[in-house]
Amino acid sequence: MNTSESPSPQRRFNTRLGLFLFLVYLALYSGFVLINAFAADKMEIIVLVGLNLAIVYGFGLIAFALVLALIYGMLCQKDPAEDIATEEAAAAPGDSK
Amino acid sequence: MIYDPAPLAIFIFLGFVFGTVGLSFYLGRKAKSSEGYFAAHGQIPWAVNGVAFAGDYLSAASFLGICGMIAAYGYDGFLYSIGFLAGWIVALFVIAEPMKRLGKFTFADALDAKFNSRGIKGAAGISTLVVSIFYLIPQMVGAGSLIQPLLGLPHWVGVVTVGVVVIMIVVTAGMVSTTWVQFLKGSLLVIFSTVLVVMLLQKGLTTDTSSFETIGPLSEQDLKQSTIAGRKVIPPTGGWLSTEGKTQEFIRFVPEDGRAGYDVFHIDDIPGSDEKLLRQAQSVTGSGASKLIDGAPNGRESGERELQPIGHLSKLPGGKTSTGPLGPISFFTTIGDSEVILWGSTTITNPEGPKTTIYYQKPTSGERVLRPGEHPKFAGIRGESFGDKLNFLSLMLALFCGTASLPHILIRYYTVKDGSAARKSTIVGIATIGFFYVLTLYLGLGAMTSGALDLTDTNMSAPLLANSIRPWLFAVISAIAFTTVLGTVSGLILASSGAVAHDLLIGVMGIKLSGETQVKVAKLAAIIVGGIAIILGVLFKELNVGYLVGWAFSVAASANLPALVMLLFWKKTTKEGIIASVLVGMISSLGWILLSRDTFKSVYGLDPDNAIAPFSQPGIITIPLAFITLIVVSLYYRSRDMGAQEASA
């Protein structure tokens, strides 16, 4: 537990990256929800290979979540503080009665 | 519907349940320590934990509730799939790493990491309990629905069975076994749902015009005769009469073949014509053992009637009667160009005796079932009422924020070794869960056109779709769905028992417990929470499980997320702010739900117009309210403390 320590540059990078990707997804999700709420008729428009906007946007949101998750997983940096904590935990497994 | 229990189904089902419980015993035998019981010593491989996330998350709501909602109304149920998955983005990008870094056993650990406050432990512990119990209700309702067709037993038997088996799992096991059971269940659910979708696409779509009768076209004059199309009309009385301002909607005939009861038909307009069509309907009067189906006792003996399975296409494009195998895209485009028979319902009051609910056919263009707004609870997005639109926004906000606030999901971050493993397991979780949610639209629409649905229980749509394809698949899917419920309920009860033993007894009351005693107390708490869940599962059996889960998400998102997010991202957060935010979020959302239209109608049986809350989903008000409470209270206490420091200096 190291909330009082200043975070490592790696952790700061990860946090900012996470927030950025979160905002990207939030914008897309909000778009979907707002179209549904205030222009539901638009969801019937056929947009791709005979499929309407509701299905394409809905499947797109699911697929895009995975794409963003993979980007995040690839770009995230290893926090050195974690290695120390993991080693300490391995050395003292704690309550194992 | 009356279900025939099949020996194969029972055999496969019992095999799954005994296998699950056996695995739990085997894996749980070493989990004596608190680290082992609550957090599996943090040694679960991330890939396994990721699939176990899917096992935990893809509960009865996802499999039974969403598929059922899509089967009954079309696309609207898929909105839940989208919202549920989007919530994982909050979990991955905002919550995953800090949760792992800050906590040890429970959600309260993370919230309290900075302050070591009894108040925070207490508030977070209570909120964990409340959210878990709320989330338990739909799981138990789903379990009851599953047991009925599978073993031919009443709903409450299913609820009690799940309760007892889960209590056994949790009491004998802990997080190691729960995780492996979830891993197994998550994998099987996704694999067999994929098999089901592939078989569904192979089978293609067919029309059915023979299961229910259609009479007509008829003129207004024809409808006034005592005999229509050679069938004798039963003169309408009581609620069957046309009432002032409302034309007569149904006609009853004396059955032709000397059967008991009556044949009921809905009077349908023919678009662009003055003539009418009579489409066969089905009616249920009363409930329980005295239930009447189309005026005759419920049963299969002579003099009895039973509800017929529903769900079919009345027209395919080009006048075809069968499509043959379809691809994943042509499945949707074909349904879009077809006509589907959905079922509406209305209730009439009889002067003496119980009410009659009449279910009638509603031919609906395929385009309409592939767009949002067909379900009564979502129809508001196509209306003019701003309150209805707000209700929709509120639900979608709660789904988005709720995932990252569910205690049984949050504690899964403690079972891996570090933040990086937490991240990776979330990505695996998103891939597995996302893939499954794509399948829900196929499963739901497949069930809608399967001809196998139960009119009175939408929760059974996915298993009944499997039954219409292959009976063995029905047994396997039902068994997986049942273990799905078992797994999710185990996770929830584990989270609740952790909250009682670790947060409330040790954290708040300051009772010193050794690791082993802590585990014993947690197991006792598991038995009590399990008992409560059984009772609630029996009480709420009428509601769609997906809808119930929407409420649980609202409470979780309002009580837990604001405090967690502000703790991570706002340095001025104080312990008083966190406590106030958790309590205000929890009480306001819970209070709102209890005072909403849906609760008035479905739970209390009162007139929904008397409801106090202006719309049913609280999130859009109560989530911001919890944020504002945290900010205001934190600023107040900071300025007060700073003032006190200055005074003492």
Side-chain angles (χ1 to χ4, degrees):
Chain A
M1 246 173 271
N2 41 13
T3 48
S4 55
E5 295 164 19
S6 62
S8 64
Q10 288 85 354
R11 192 194 296 167
R12 267 208 301 271
F13 172 82
N14 292 351
T15 306
R16 282 192 195 143
L17 176 67
L19 282 179
F20 172 72
L21 295 175
F22 167 73
L23 290 174
V24 170
Y25 197 81
L26 178 65
L28 277 170
Y29 182 75
S30 305
F32 177 77
V33 173
L34 291 172
I35 294 173
N36 272 297
F38 297 103
D41 293 345
K42 298 266 188 298
M43 283 292 168
E44 293 161 39
I45 299 170
I46 304 294
V47 288
L48 197 69
V49 293
L51 299 176
N52 66 15
L53 182 62
I55 293 178
V56 173
Y57 206 153
F59 278 178
L61 275 173
I62 292 176
F64 197 63
L66 180 61
V67 171
L68 286 188
L70 289 171
I71 292 173
Y72 181 67
M74 279 191 289
L75 295 183
C76 262
Q77 297 174 356
K78 185 94 178 156
D79 185 353
E82 251 178 29
D83 290 336
I84 297 163
T86 312
E87 279 162 22
E88 279 172 1
D95 177 4
S96 55
K97 286 187 279 266
Chain B
M1 257 168 77
I2 297 170
Y3 297 102
D4 300 306
L8 175 71
I10 295 171
F11 179 73
I12 294 178
F13 175 78
L14 292 178
F16 261 81
V17 174
F18 282 116
T20 308
V21 177
L23 189 68
S24 287
F25 274 109
Y26 175 72
L27 293 167
R29 68 197 190 285
K30 286 182 186 165
K32 296 275 187 289
S33 71
S34 48
E35 261 104 359
Y37 185 75
F38 293 123
H41 297 286
Q43 294 304 314
I44 299 285
W46 57 264
V48 172
N49 204 54
V51 180
F53 264 135
D56 258 327
Y57 197 66
L58 298 176
S59 64
S62 297
F63 187 56
L64 304 178
I66 291 178
C67 291
M69 210 182 264
I70 296 174
Y73 297 101
Y75 186 86
D76 291 324
F78 191 58
L79 290 168
Y80 279 92
S81 294
I82 293 165
F84 283 147
L85 186 82
W88 279 94
I89 288 295
V90 186
L92 173 63
F93 294 153
V94 186
I95 304 293
E97 272 189 76
M99 260 315 276
K100 176 63 197 165
R101 206 168 55 236
L102 298 176
K104 191 180 175 194
F105 291 159
T106 63
F107 160 67
D109 283 340
L111 216 50
D112 194 35
K114 201 166 154 188
F115 301 107
N116 198 21
S117 144
R118 283 185 183 190
I120 293 183
K121 285 194 184 85
I126 292 170
S127 127
T128 299
L129 263 182
V130 169
V131 173
S132 299
I133 289 176
F134 238 78
Y135 205 86
L136 275 169
I137 302 171
Q139 314 304 328
M140 303 305 269
V141 172
S145 296
L146 273 169
I147 280 281
Q148 257 176 314
L150 203 58
L151 307 180
L153 296 169
H155 186 274
W156 69 268
V157 177
V159 175
V160 174
T161 311
V162 169
V164 171
V165 174
V166 163
I167 290 170
M168 274 167 61
I169 291 178
V170 177
V171 167
T172 55
M175 203 57 171
V176 177
S177 58
T178 306
T179 301
W180 284 98
V181 167
Q182 295 293 39
F183 168 74
L184 200 65
K185 181 209 96 180
S187 316
L188 289 175
L189 184 62
V190 174
I191 291 168
F192 278 95
S193 298
T194 311
V195 169
L196 186 52
V197 169
V198 170
M199 290 172 92
L200 169 71
L201 294 177
Q202 280 299 312
K203 186 180 158 214
L205 297 165
T206 48
T207 56
D208 173 6
T209 48
S210 60
S211 293
F212 294 95
E213 274 186 81
T214 305
I215 301 173
L218 301 166
S219 68
E220 289 278 357
Q221 201 52 38
D222 292 337
L223 291 173
K224 290 178 183 155
Q225 307 302 316
S226 59
T227 303
I228 299 173
R231 304 181 67 167
K232 197 172 172 218
V233 176
I234 299 175
T237 52
W240 296 97
L241 277 166
S242 56
T243 48
E244 203 176 328
K246 198 178 166 196
T247 51
Q248 187 180 339
E249 286 185 90
F250 301 97
I251 283 186
R252 288 178 300 164
F253 293 114
V254 175
E256 285 184 315
D257 45 4
R259 294 169 67 206
Y262 49 75
D263 294 333
V264 60
F265 284 75
H266 182 239
I267 305 169
D268 239 355
D269 291 327
I270 300 175
S273 158
D274 290 339
E275 292 188 308
K276 310 277 181 184
L277 268 185
L278 298 184
R279 290 180 197 273
Q280 194 176 358
Q282 306 192 69
S283 75
V284 180
T285 307
S287 60
S290 59
K291 184 161 75 177
L292 300 178
I293 307 298
D294 292 344
N298 183 30
R300 284 187 178 159
E301 302 297 322
S302 162
E304 294 177 331
R305 285 188 176 221
E306 64 171 319
L307 281 176
Q308 298 305 310
I310 58 156
H312 63 276
L313 289 170
S314 48
K315 282 180 203 156
L316 273 168
K320 283 189 214 163
T321 55
S322 175
T323 60
L326 290 167
I329 292 173
S330 59
F331 177 76
F332 292 124
T333 51
T334 309
I335 288 184
D337 294 333
S338 305
E339 184 182 77
V340 188
I341 301 291
L342 300 185
W343 287 70
S345 72
T346 186
T347 304
I348 60 169
T349 320
N350 300 308
E352 290 165 15
K355 288 179 180 173
T356 299
T357 304
I358 309 161
Y359 299 92
Y360 57 93
Q361 302 184 53
K362 285 197 310 182
T364 309
S365 94
E367 278 177 350
R368 289 185 60 157
V369 301
L370 296 180
R371 62 171 207 184
E374 212 56 38
H375 190 289
K377 291 191 174 25
F378 290 101
I381 61 173
R382 294 188 176 274
E384 294 300 314
S385 156
F386 188 67
D388 286 344
K389 292 179 190 297
L390 220 50
N391 195 43
F392 172 75
L393 294 176
S394 194
L395 171 69
M396 295 310 280
L397 177 69
L399 298 185
F400 190 58
C401 298
T403 299
S405 329
L406 292 174
H408 73 291
I409 297 295
L410 292 175
I411 59 170
R412 189 150 291 293
Y413 283 118
Y414 302 137
T415 60
V416 290
K417 69 180 165 65
D418 54 24
S420 162
R423 218 161 42 222
K424 286 184 205 158
S425 59
T426 315
I427 296 170
V428 172
I430 287 178
T432 316
I433 294 165
F435 178 67
F436 176 81
Y437 280 144
V438 168
L439 300 181
T440 56
L441 195 56
Y442 290 95
L443 293 173
L445 292 172
M448 177 187 264
T449 54
S450 65
L453 295 187
D454 183 341
L455 198 52
T456 55
D457 190 356
T458 57
N459 294 329
M460 274 309 291
S461 302
L464 289 174
L465 164 68
N467 200 27
S468 73
I469 294 178
R470 296 274 190 286
W472 66 264
L473 197 57
F474 167 67
V476 172
I477 289 282
S478 299
I480 294 170
F482 195 77
T483 41
T484 296
V485 177
L486 287 185
T488 308
V489 174
S490 311
L492 284 163
I493 292 186
L494 201 63
S496 316
S497 60
V500 172
H502 186 68
D503 303 335
L504 299 178
L505 289 183
I506 300 177
V508 180
M509 296 183 194
I511 300 169
K512 297 247 181 298
L513 298 175
S514 71
E516 227 165 301
T517 322
Q518 216 182 114
V519 172
K520 279 183 190 154
V521 171
K523 287 178 178 180
L524 186 67
I527 295 173
I528 297 168
V529 174
I532 295 172
I534 291 174
I535 296 167
L536 294 173
V538 173
L539 287 179
F540 283 77
K541 73 167 189 171
E542 300 288 330
L543 290 175
N544 177 285
V545 295
Y547 195 72
L548 284 169
V549 161
W551 279 347
F553 270 63
S554 295
V555 178
S558 309
N560 299 344
L561 193 75
L564 202 51
V565 168
M566 295 304 270
L567 176 76
L568 298 176
F569 296 103
W570 194 49
K571 286 183 179 154
K572 291 179 181 169
T573 304
T574 64
K575 67 178 179 198
E576 292 85 1
I578 290 181
I579 297 167
S581 169
V582 171
L583 293 179
V584 167
M586 178 176 65
I587 294 167
S588 61
S589 55
L590 206 57
W592 188 290
I593 289 168
L594 294 176
L595 298 174
S596 72
R597 288 179 67 87
D598 287 332
T599 315
F600 265 56
K601 188 172 161 224
S602 310
V603 183
Y604 310 142
L606 297 174
D607 181 1
D609 289 338
N610 294 333
I612 295 159
F615 47 89
S616 290
Q617 297 290 344
I620 205 161
I621 304 289
T622 53
I623 297 170
L625 181 68
F627 271 110
I628 293 167
T629 305
L630 187 142
I631 293 168
V632 170
V633 173
S634 293
L635 289 177
Y636 169 76
Y637 274 93
R638 273 184 78 86
S639 68
R640 196 192 70 171
D641 292 348
M642 282 166 75
Q645 275 173 13
E646 279 168 18
S648 63

